[in-house]
Amino acid sequence: MLIRTGGDGFQHPLSSDITPREAYFSRRLWLTALAASGVAWAGREAFAQGSARPNRLAALPGQRSAVDGATSAEKLTSYQDVTQYNNFYEFGTSKSDPAARADSLKPRPWTVQVEGLVNKPGTFDLDALLKLAPMEERIYRLRCVEGWSMVIPWVGYSLSALIKRVEPQGSAKYVEFVTLADPKQMPGLRSRVLDWPYTEGLRLDEALHPLSLLAFGLYGEVLPNQNGAPVRLVVPWKYGFKSAKSIVKIRFTERQPKTAWNEAAPQEYGFYSNVNPQVAHPRWSQASERRIGEEGGLFAKRRPTLMFNGYEKQVGQLYAGMDLSKFY
Ligand SMILES: Nc1nc2c(c(=O)[nH]1)N[C@H]1C(S)=C(S)[C@@H](COP(=O)(O)O)O[C@H]1N2
Ligand SMILES: [Mo]
């Protein structure tokens, strides 16, 4: 879906077709324009780091986030890698399936139903959600439980904005996320690899943490289907599978909700799933990771995985006193 010919018949180049030299000059032009206008933070990082390219999806700018931990000096993973190397089992289990098959997902019209222990339950139309809070650009590391990672410039706002809007009741302790499960749009549902719909959950205080992001875009544009259009969760200190894609329902509960991966393999995937280099997956170590885009064949260097994916300063307090080898 990404190598789409525009209505003008122009074949937009892939980011991999753009030479470092071109990227460098685009960057200079862009930075000059930025300095002159004094506006538009969105996309600056994208242009600054070699992914200069014409927009292919609708622009979704975000202002620079003031949330602690939401900006990063790390090199961004290319748009190409972010959108072609995905896990979205509703479209198949191979990394290339989502980009190849997610064209059948219809991200509009779209609604998200909010229910359970809240004073103001209701169904939010996508357009209402887009207007609920100002869009911010958040550069987060994403660490997959499989041992690879990326650095992605998301666009969205803190999930807490939506949560506050619906007014959780005192008895609400957890938030469950239910994602789309429509066999007409999602060929992967034929496989029984997970018990559909894909569900996830957070403790309410985790969901209210400012880093927990309701994301609508990346690289200054709306989310590509394969990245969870039109709205998904991004929880940067947890393994990637907690960041549920294509959400259709959010439910506030008193009891800890079931989650798809925990149901499938409880000894491998706990409810918390905080990134933790000291707690190995039963079948492999979690001590290090491979940064996508940095592969060097035999000489590929792995990076040490950081506690809470490097967000310990921001989120460590949430787990004070908990035995993290028990609550993995
Ligand atoms: N609905 C749904 N959400 C999902 C998944 C999935 O299979 N289905 N995969 C998860 C996993 S394992 C990861 S690593 C991230 C990947 O997000 P990305 O493709 O945008 O990088 O999405 C998560 N969210
Ligand atoms: Mo993952």
Side-chain angles (χ1 to χ4, degrees), residues 14-326:
L14 295 167
S15 54
S16 58
D17 297 335
I18 296 169
T19 66
R21 187 174 174 278
E22 282 174 275
Y24 174 75
F25 282 109
S26 311
R27 171 179 184 234
R28 289 196 46 194
L29 281 174
W30 181 252
L31 293 178
T32 307
L34 257 186
S37 65
V39 290
W41 153 263
R44 192 183 93 179
E45 288 295 324
F47 279 83
Q49 300 195 17
S51 294
R53 60 200 183 82
N55 284 0
R56 296 185 193 92
L57 299 174
L60 186 70
Q63 63 198 16
R64 182 178 194 159
S65 179
V67 168
D68 182 29
T71 54
S72 166
E74 277 191 281
K75 188 178 188 295
L76 299 183
T77 304
S78 71
Y79 186 84
Q80 177 85 351
D81 283 335
V82 169
T83 58
Q84 308 282 313
Y85 189 92
N86 302 101
N87 274 334
F88 200 166
Y89 277 18
E90 288 87 333
F91 295 97
T93 55
S94 107
K95 295 284 174 287
S96 55
D97 283 339
R101 302 165 87 184
D103 257 342
S104 52
L105 177 70
K106 303 239 169 337
R108 269 177 187 277
W110 192 275
T111 56
V112 176
Q113 201 181 320
V114 183
E115 60 178 44
L117 303 172
V118 291
N119 291 334
K120 297 183 169 170
T123 300
F124 290 79
D125 185 72
L126 179 61
D127 291 311
L129 282 178
L130 286 166
K131 279 182 271 179
L132 193 124
M135 289 291 166
E136 298 180 6
E137 181 160 273
R138 304 270 185 100
I139 299 170
Y140 285 167
R141 286 179 292 281
L142 180 139
R143 172 59 157 81
C144 179
V145 75
E146 296 163 342
W148 49 267
S149 62
M150 301 193 190
V151 181
I152 303 175
W154 302 104
V155 183
Y157 51 74
S158 293
L159 174 64
S160 63
L162 174 59
I163 295 179
K164 284 168 186 161
R165 184 67 65 95
V166 298
E167 298 178 8
Q169 295 167 356
S171 53
K173 295 284 182 288
Y174 295 90
V175 190
E176 179 185 20
F177 303 87
V178 182
T179 78
L180 184 70
D182 178 1
K184 290 201 273 314
Q185 300 180 59
M186 300 171 137
L189 296 191
R190 268 180 251 132
S191 147
R192 295 284 167 86
V193 59
L194 288 172
D195 186 11
W196 314 109
Y198 190 106
T199 58
E200 258 309 333
L202 295 171
R203 229 168 48 190
L204 183 60
D205 60 339
E206 297 178 316
L208 284 168
H209 192 282
L211 284 173
S212 289
L213 184 71
L214 203 55
F216 299 85
L218 57 82
Y219 267 105
E221 297 175 11
V222 297
L223 287 171
N225 288 352
Q226 62 268 36
N227 291 90
V231 56
R232 68 173 295 175
L233 189 62
V234 186
V235 189
W237 68 94
K238 294 178 178 284
Y239 291 116
F241 65 86
K242 298 295 285 185
S243 294
K245 294 176 167 181
S246 304
I247 294 168
V248 293
K249 193 184 286 187
I250 300 177
R251 184 186 294 135
F252 291 76
T253 63
E254 188 161 7
R255 298 261 185 87
Q256 183 177 300
K258 289 180 177 180
T259 68
W261 277 107
N262 181 250
E263 288 284 298
Q267 66 295 346
E268 302 193 6
Y269 310 108
F271 176 80
Y272 283 93
S273 298
N274 291 317
V275 174
N276 189 341
Q278 285 149 30
V279 176
H281 183 279
R283 292 184 280 132
W284 59 81
S285 162
Q286 293 290 20
S288 70
E289 66 202 59
R290 172 172 71 95
R291 182 62 54 82
I292 298 299
E294 280 185 353
E295 286 93 332
L298 276 178
F299 304 102
K301 52 177 187 302
R302 290 181 72 88
R303 299 166 170 257
T305 286
L306 302 174
M307 189 65 201
F308 297 112
N309 201 23
Y311 300 94
E312 182 167 19
K313 175 166 82 81
Q314 291 85 8
V315 304
Q317 258 317 107
L318 293 174
Y319 310 101
M322 283 176 69
D323 178 352
L324 298 180
S325 59
K326 188 167 168 224

